[in-house]
Amino acid sequence: MPHGKQPALHELTTTLCAPNIALSSPSGQISRGDGTGLYRQDRRSLAHAAFGVGAAELVPVGSAAGTGHTRFQGLVRGHGDTTPDVGLHYVHDRTLTADAMRETWTLHNVSTESVTVTVTLNAATDLARMDQVKGGEQPALLDPSATEAEAAWKLDDCEVRLRLGSAADSVSVTDGDITWSWRVELEAAAARAFSFEVEQHETEQGGFLPKRPEPAVGLPLPEAASLEGDHGRLLRRSLADLDGLQLSDDGTPGTAFLAAGSPWFLTLFGRDSLLAARLLLPLSTDLAASTLRVLAARQGTKHDPDTEEQPGKIPHEQRRVAIDMDGENPLRLPPLYYGTIDATPLWVCLLHDAWRAGMAESEVRELLPALRAALEWVRGPGDADGDGFLEYSGSAGAGLSNQGWKDSGDGVRWADGTIATRPLALCEVQGYAYEAAIGGAAVLAAFGEDASTFREWAADLRERFRASFWLDDEHGRYPAIALDGDKRPVSGPTSNMAHLLGTGLLDAHEAELVAEQLGGPALNSGYGLRTLSAQVRGFNPFSYHCGSIWPHDTAIAVLGLASEGFHEQARALAEGLVHAGPAFDFRLPELFGGTDRGAGDAVSAYPSSCTPQAWAAAGATAVVGYLQGWNDPASER
């Protein structure tokens, strides 16, 4: 999606229990005019929710977050204190369930005197679509119906209801903003709580309305795992977020998957959900199996240029409504969109790995038709021009121009900074395709089917890749990020080459060359793997895909290096990523700045990064597992 007008998220506090997300300032307030709010099903349920005490100043002093719960604490300054110490404190508890948000705001009088104050609660909503919020729009507030005990708002097929725990003394509405007031007499050492609950309902049940699975899929840690130190803190936070990100088609765990990330991508994404489930295979084959089923149910069956559906193709994402964003780089996507080059081979790779990890034979057998269709797509429609490589031209109109994981418009560029022309054949996608063909053939053969054609295709791909993708320039010898529209290898070392490790596409010497690139200071920032070498002109440590650090990308590199036996480079990247954890309170975001630890640079946020993000949390879990010794990718080869 366009990034220029996105609200900054890096200083916000997120409370999550999918499909509900609450974003607020560190004080707990939800304010009009920024990205804060309560969100559900790609709508903003609340755009304003703030407690106050007359004209006094509320001073936040700290917060603590858990699974589905955040506690904010603060002082009430300027209400008439007669000593240097503030006599009124507050505790603000926010609890999210899969159905509602409950807020409890408790005012404590810790002074030796009684006080009389007026407590207010302001609330408003615009029921803005998520794409409007992400695009920086500010829709008008909706007119509410409000009483001293509740309020309601309606727009299109959404209805939001807010119910107070106790009726207010008065209520007023100004320009869509509701104010409830209570006059409070508080004795010394006494406290009084004020609460409300918010629910959003869809009056029309059509379209994609994912729910939380009940029960959620468990991600039990092996006995060798440790929850001590920074490793343990990163592991605990990641597992809590992964639990909060779980969604399903209809509430049953058999259709569970990980939503991509909060807040923009809290829905089903083919690539993201598959990679996250794959990174978590040491903990669960159940999540992998259900993710595979959910995506197989949406596997393409026909040719549709509007949605980019093709027979056998796994979709990119599904939402309830279309994405429609204007601006310099408009984006319009249908509710079920197939604009991805890598989800289909990644689906096959996950099925193979889950089968190897112990996925039930009956579950694998049920997916064999989808497996055959996916493999036929890989060696058929996935290779649009018949040159033997998977490539994409990008969506017609205002869809995604780049359809690999680096899907921003400038995500694939030459060493001089020039954006590469499409169609593009990404290097990592050829690795996924090779691994899918070999792994998919192994699954088919185990169930008594002839898979020799897929093995032969993979062998040919390996030779084609070796002849076409390798570069030798001032940066060394390395595989190009892509072949451009003229079949030229695009120069400049990138993190994409890391995804080739462990796929089988490279021989031992080629893997060593890649390991040397990944271990060097141009790509290894000391906090993780940069997406683009710091030695090329296109490098920008705060670019979305051209110099930043993505935890899942680093995790894939760590596991790939380890699988090929390059543990020195793997440990350096893994420990760097863990070192970045405290800067984010151990909740690694979607991405962060590719700054230089060796030069003394601090860990730096990417302001509009999603937090939490499924593959970031899964990547952190996988990296900790590698460092602790219970996630050994070499044992899977």
Side-chain angles (χ1 to χ4, degrees):
M1 290 186 176
H3 302 287
K5 297 181 180 178
Q6 291 183 59
L9 305 177
H10 64 294
E11 293 182 338
L12 302 184
T13 299
T14 300
T15 311
L16 172 71
C17 184
N20 286 319
I21 331 157
L23 277 71
S24 71
S25 70
S27 68
Q29 307 284 51
I30 293 173
S31 306
R32 174 78 171 149
D34 55 22
T36 63
L38 171 64
Y39 298 91
R40 179 184 177 89
Q41 306 293 7
D42 278 348
R43 289 279 191 176
R44 181 158 56 190
S45 306
L46 276 184
H48 187 195
F51 284 96
V53 178
E57 178 188 7
L58 302 189
V59 181
V61 296
S63 65
T67 303
H69 175 260
T70 305
R71 167 167 284 189
F72 307 90
Q73 293 181 274
L75 311 177
V76 181
R77 188 166 61 186
H79 69 285
D81 288 314
T82 58
T83 71
D85 293 326
V86 176
L88 289 182
H89 300 179
Y90 69 86
V91 176
H92 181 175
D93 287 296
R94 172 172 294 139
T95 302
L96 260 67
T97 68
D99 300 313
M101 178 177 80
R102 182 175 179 82
E103 302 267 272
T104 301
W105 195 86
T106 306
L107 184 64
H108 296 265
N109 181 7
V110 296
S111 71
T112 57
E113 311 236 346
S114 63
V115 295
T116 300
V117 295
T118 298
V119 173
T120 59
L121 168 63
N122 287 83
T125 192
D126 50 15
L127 272 172
R129 300 189 316 273
M130 190 65 83
D131 54 3
Q132 291 177 299
V133 180
K134 195 173 195 294
E137 296 182 38
Q138 289 295 333
L141 295 177
L142 299 179
D143 291 329
S145 61
T147 70
E148 286 81 359
E150 62 182 2
W153 300 264
K154 292 182 180 180
L155 180 68
D156 300 331
D157 56 359
C158 288
E159 180 178 9
V160 174
R161 288 196 168 274
L162 184 153
R163 296 178 178 87
L164 299 175
S166 60
D169 297 327
S170 65
V171 60
S172 62
V173 179
T174 304
D175 297 329
D177 201 341
I178 307 169
T179 302
W180 288 281
S181 298
W182 295 262
R183 185 166 176 79
V184 179
E185 295 182 5
L186 206 58
E187 297 294 327
R192 180 168 170 181
F194 305 84
S195 65
F196 67 88
E197 186 171 275
V198 178
E199 292 182 343
Q200 177 181 311
H201 299 282
E202 288 70 38
T203 55
E204 179 61 49
Q205 291 297 304
F208 185 48
L209 290 169
K211 301 178 182 177
R212 180 170 173 80
E214 293 296 342
V217 177
L219 296 172
L221 287 171
E223 291 184 4
S226 170
L227 295 176
E228 300 300 317
D230 284 356
H231 289 179
R233 284 186 280 273
L234 186 56
L235 193 56
R236 282 197 303 272
R237 188 63 180 264
S238 298
L239 291 174
D241 285 337
L242 290 165
D243 177 76
L245 285 166
Q246 288 191 39
L247 286 172
S248 72
D249 270 348
D250 57 6
T252 62
T255 63
F257 60 88
L258 287 169
S262 164
W264 317 127
F265 310 122
L266 206 75
T267 188
L268 174 65
F269 271 70
R271 177 192 307 119
D272 299 57
S273 299
L274 288 164
L275 280 174
R278 197 178 189 196
L279 289 164
L280 294 168
L281 269 175
L283 307 185
S284 173
T285 59
D286 290 340
L287 179 62
S290 59
T291 301
L292 289 163
R293 285 193 292 270
V294 166
L295 289 167
R298 294 160 171 81
Q299 188 174 33
T301 59
K302 62 182 185 297
H303 291 275
D304 184 343
D306 293 332
T307 64
E308 299 183 51
E309 179 181 358
Q310 294 171 330
K313 194 175 186 182
I314 298 298
H316 176 262
E317 68 179 277
Q318 184 171 16
R319 296 179 182 268
R320 189 181 183 203
V321 297
I323 294 290
D324 189 358
M325 299 179 68
D326 292 321
E328 183 178 346
N329 297 301
L331 183 69
R332 294 181 177 85
L333 305 180
L336 181 57
Y337 176 59
Y338 287 81
T340 169
I341 193 63
D342 52 12
T344 306
L346 285 170
W347 186 94
V348 178
C349 292
L350 178 60
L351 177 61
H352 169 264
D353 288 359
W355 168 63
R356 287 280 306 274
M359 180 177 164
E361 183 175 305
S362 60
E363 294 182 298
V364 177
R365 188 181 298 277
E366 289 175 1
L367 293 171
L368 292 182
L371 170 60
R372 287 190 293 270
L375 287 172
E376 291 297 345
W377 182 88
V378 166
R379 66 171 192 165
D383 177 12
D385 61 7
D387 69 342
F389 296 120
L390 275 69
E391 65 267 310
Y392 61 87
S393 296
S395 299
L400 289 174
S401 55
N402 279 321
Q403 297 189 348
W405 84 261
K406 293 180 178 176
D407 57 3
S408 53
D410 63 352
V412 182
R413 55 175 65 195
W414 292 79
D416 65 2
T418 305
I419 295 174
T421 56
R422 302 188 301 272
L424 289 170
L426 297 171
C427 72
E428 76 273 19
V429 175
Q430 315 317 313
Y432 303 154
Y434 177 87
E435 188 177 10
I438 296 296
V443 175
L444 290 173
F447 285 84
E449 299 194 21
D450 181 11
S452 57
T453 55
F454 299 117
R455 293 193 186 95
E456 292 167 3
W457 181 88
D460 290 342
L461 173 62
R462 199 168 190 252
E463 294 308 311
R464 287 192 299 271
F465 185 90
R466 181 167 294 122
S468 301
F469 270 82
W470 282 85
L471 286 161
D472 196 344
D473 59 22
E474 67 271 26
H475 304 291
R477 183 161 172 78
Y478 60 94
I481 183 176
L483 301 183
D484 75 354
D486 294 321
K487 307 301 179 184
R488 299 175 301 169
V490 178
S491 61
T494 69
S495 67
N496 299 55
M497 70 178 80
H499 296 228
L500 299 170
L501 297 172
T503 65
L505 188 65
L506 306 180
D507 64 24
H509 177 61
E510 290 165 342
E512 184 178 10
L513 291 172
V514 170
E516 290 174 0
Q517 289 284 340
L518 301 180
L523 283 171
N524 181 1
S525 74
Y527 297 124
L529 183 67
R530 293 188 179 105
T531 46
L532 181 65
S533 167
Q535 294 178 345
V536 302
R537 283 190 62 190
F539 172 75
N540 174 358
F542 297 102
S543 164
Y544 196 57
H545 285 133
C546 297
S548 58
I549 296 165
W550 290 63
H552 88 280
D553 193 34
T554 299
I556 288 170
V558 167
L559 299 182
L561 286 162
S563 73
E564 302 276 6
F566 300 104
H567 292 283
E568 180 182 352
Q569 292 93 331
R571 290 192 68 86
L573 286 172
E575 289 169 352
L577 192 64
V578 172
H579 193 84
F584 302 106
D585 196 21
F586 296 98
R587 173 183 267 174
L588 291 180
E590 175 188 17
L591 71 154
F592 55 94
T595 51
D596 189 346
R597 181 181 173 191
D601 294 345
V603 180
S604 300
Y606 183 87
S608 56
S609 180
C610 288
T611 308
Q613 182 92 350
W615 60 12
T621 301
V623 162
V624 170
Y626 168 69
L627 290 172
Q628 293 186 349
W630 50 264
N631 183 9
D632 181 9
S635 67
E636 298 299 319
R637 299 198 75 196

